[in-house]
Amino acid sequence: MKKSIICLFLCFLVIGCKKNPLDITPDGKISMKDVFSDQVRTEAFLNTIYGFIPYYYTAYQEWSFLAGATDEAQDAEVGNNPGVVWDWITGRLTPSFDPLAAGVDGTVNQYPTFWSGIGYANIFLQNIDNATVKGEQFKSRLKGEAQLLRAFFYLELVKKYGAMPVADKPFDNDFNYTGLKRGTFQECVDFIVKDCDAVIANPNMPLRITIENERVRFSKAIAYAIKSEALLYNASPLWNPTNDAAKWQAAAAGSKEALTALTAGGNYKLADDYGNYFLNNADFAVVPRDRETIYERRSAFPGSVMNVPSKGGIWKLGACPSQELVDSYDMQATGEPAITGYEDADHLKPIINPASGYDPAKPYEGRDPRFYATVWYNGALYDNINGNVHTVATYAGGGDQLIKSPPNRTNTHTGYYLRKFLDPKLPTGQDQVSGWKKYRLAEIYLNLAEAENEANGPTAVALDAVNAIRRRAQMPDLGGLDKEALRERIRRERRVELAIEEHRFWDVRRWKILDKTDKLVTGMEVIKNPDNSFSYKRFVTERRNAWQDKFRIFPIPIADASIVPDFSENQNPGW
């Protein structure tokens, strides 16, 4: 931790300003006084903090999605090239090796990155009040951004590693790290919420960004999103083992506050078209086209990694949606789940809901429209491009066929291809350009639905929140459910609404169901019959070894555990 902050701060001194700050004094040194006595350097310092926000999307090693490390998908690199997902599913996580730290971009190594972001934010906040910045309102906004960045880094840190020391000031050079103590998860969340509340109360923080050249900057809306997510995680079973109702009440109140503030006057609202929403970057204007995105992280490493083989130009496939994800989509006409579970441990014998209208001989007909916006399946029509409609053919012998053995990088491993995020109208080989929606309004609706149901049961507030999401997708409302039944439906709703968006990885951990979801993934083998009909056979495509309880929370890296006695004495469970 100490080493990371010092080294990265030295990098800031070299590259943080247009003019090399090392040239401003005869001995080549620059002090904090020098930095904060100049507005350009002060802003450059804040920009450096923003630089620690990690990339998501395909930023992991070999342009993989995190979804490949969940039951949402199998990564096409598995069986072809050792990499981040293979290392993860084979259980190689240890205190000295984090498979998910490998990536196209160095910020994927999140432990030192998050601590560096916190350290820089603390330095900034210690100095900003006395900084030479024109206008108290502008100074107040810079301070609010630093507070919110600190809250962001803390939330990302504790989601992954559990409770950490609460540090609201920079560590001095002579700080005694041997005396550093881990706080509780509640204390960390209280600290995060305190920063968010300060930003929410700050009149100089804009609710949303309306200028294109400020797209990377944090807004007040992000404070509401972070607060909502932090309180929900704090109330969840992993961090609320006694099911303290007060935590659920706080989570419900935080998300309700967020929705009330964000949707007032139509400032934020759900996009009309779920599928098209993910194909476009957020725009920034006083009256924007996109009012759902709260924060978008543009990818520094876009890649033309996904397609279907018969369209040509494919380099590597990335995430192949799993049969488990496909099974999670309801039937549109009835609003009922098609598949409610499995009779066997290998998920080869689905439990079909007779009230749903699902036909196993026509498994892709009549599903939730979000299914068609997320998954390419056998028979799917690959959008009308200049009058041409391509029919996806994953059946044996088809142009997009499943290849089970030996697998390759370009053909599906599961019988499905990823549709979400991918614009089929882009010319072959052109990179996908849409940014990663880190926070969006739909998540806050779902946070409220879950927290309200756990706090007060299936109230109108809980149902209105989840049904707002379903109505956007043209799905029937939920109703007439008890608390337990609504809990299950809300979890299903999160799964389909937020599919492949890196929520599932954390949701199954905070719900403590990792051992039920991550032992394997399955696919669908499709056979074309002589009469041109199709037969469907489920198969296990991948067995995994990262589902035990210890994988709910990442181990504290061994380097820090060796420096801080409290870390080694209170290492995370199982490590």
Side-chain angles (χ1 to χ4, degrees), residues 190-250:
D190 288 345
F191 185 60
I192 292 166
V193 169
K194 181 180 178 181
D195 269 346
C196 290
D197 283 342
V199 171
I200 290 169
N202 185 338
N204 300 305
M205 282 291 289
L207 182 65
R208 67 179 312 131
I209 301 300
T210 59
I211 302 172
E212 174 63 33
N213 64 10
E214 291 187 353
R215 71 160 42 241
V216 301
R217 298 180 70 171
F218 274 14
S219 66
K220 189 174 292 190
I222 297 173
Y224 284 113
I226 291 174
K227 180 178 177 179
S228 170
E229 188 174 294
L231 289 170
L232 181 70
Y233 275 65
N234 190 48
S236 299
L238 181 60
W239 303 112
N240 185 15
T242 63
N243 199 27
D244 183 351
K247 292 189 176 187
W248 286 114
Q249 293 285 359

Side-chain angles (χ1 to χ4, degrees), residues 347-515:
H347 298 180
L348 302 180
K349 298 178 180 179
I351 301 171
I352 298 173
N353 178 8
S356 69
Y358 173 77
D359 182 354
K362 300 176 181 178
Y364 311 127
E365 292 188 5
R367 306 298 286 272
D368 182 327
R370 288 170 292 187
F371 167 67
Y372 305 106
T374 305
V375 179
W376 292 124
Y377 55 93
N378 187 64
L381 300 181
Y382 198 120
D383 288 12
N384 188 323
I385 306 173
N386 298 324
N388 297 315
V389 178
H390 172 70
T391 301
V392 177
T394 66
Y395 61 85
D400 309 303
Q401 67 178 320
L402 162 75
I403 297 181
K404 294 169 66 175
S405 181
N408 62 39
R409 289 177 164 182
T410 57
N411 284 74
T412 175
H413 292 204
T414 63
Y416 304 103
Y417 294 87
L418 183 63
R419 167 74 171 87
K420 193 172 183 178
F421 314 115
L422 311 176
D423 188 348
K425 292 183 172 62
L426 288 178
T428 298
Q430 181 173 327
D431 289 342
Q432 302 296 324
V433 297
S434 58
W436 185 258
K437 278 54 169 169
K438 173 60 177 171
Y439 299 116
R440 60 186 181 96
L441 192 64
E443 179 194 350
I444 299 180
Y445 275 106
L446 292 168
N447 292 352
L448 175 58
E450 179 179 346
E452 173 69 16
N453 183 56
E454 296 298 335
N456 302 309
T459 64
V461 172
L463 289 169
D464 285 348
V466 70
N467 286 332
I469 300 299
R470 289 175 67 85
R471 288 169 193 158
R472 188 262 293 275
Q474 301 179 358
M475 289 295 291
D477 283 357
L478 298 180
L481 303 170
D482 62 19
K483 181 176 181 177
E484 288 71 27
L486 184 57
R487 176 190 299 135
E488 176 60 26
R489 297 304 296 273
I490 290 170
R491 290 185 178 186
R492 291 177 71 98
E493 198 66 26
R494 280 188 76 91
R495 182 169 196 178
V496 300
E497 174 67 26
L498 305 175
I500 320 294
E501 295 181 51
E502 298 200 3
H503 287 277
R504 182 70 175 174
F505 187 88
W506 305 109
D507 281 346
V508 298
R509 285 165 170 75
R510 66 183 180 86
W511 291 332
K512 298 174 69 171
I513 61 171
L514 186 65
D515 61 325

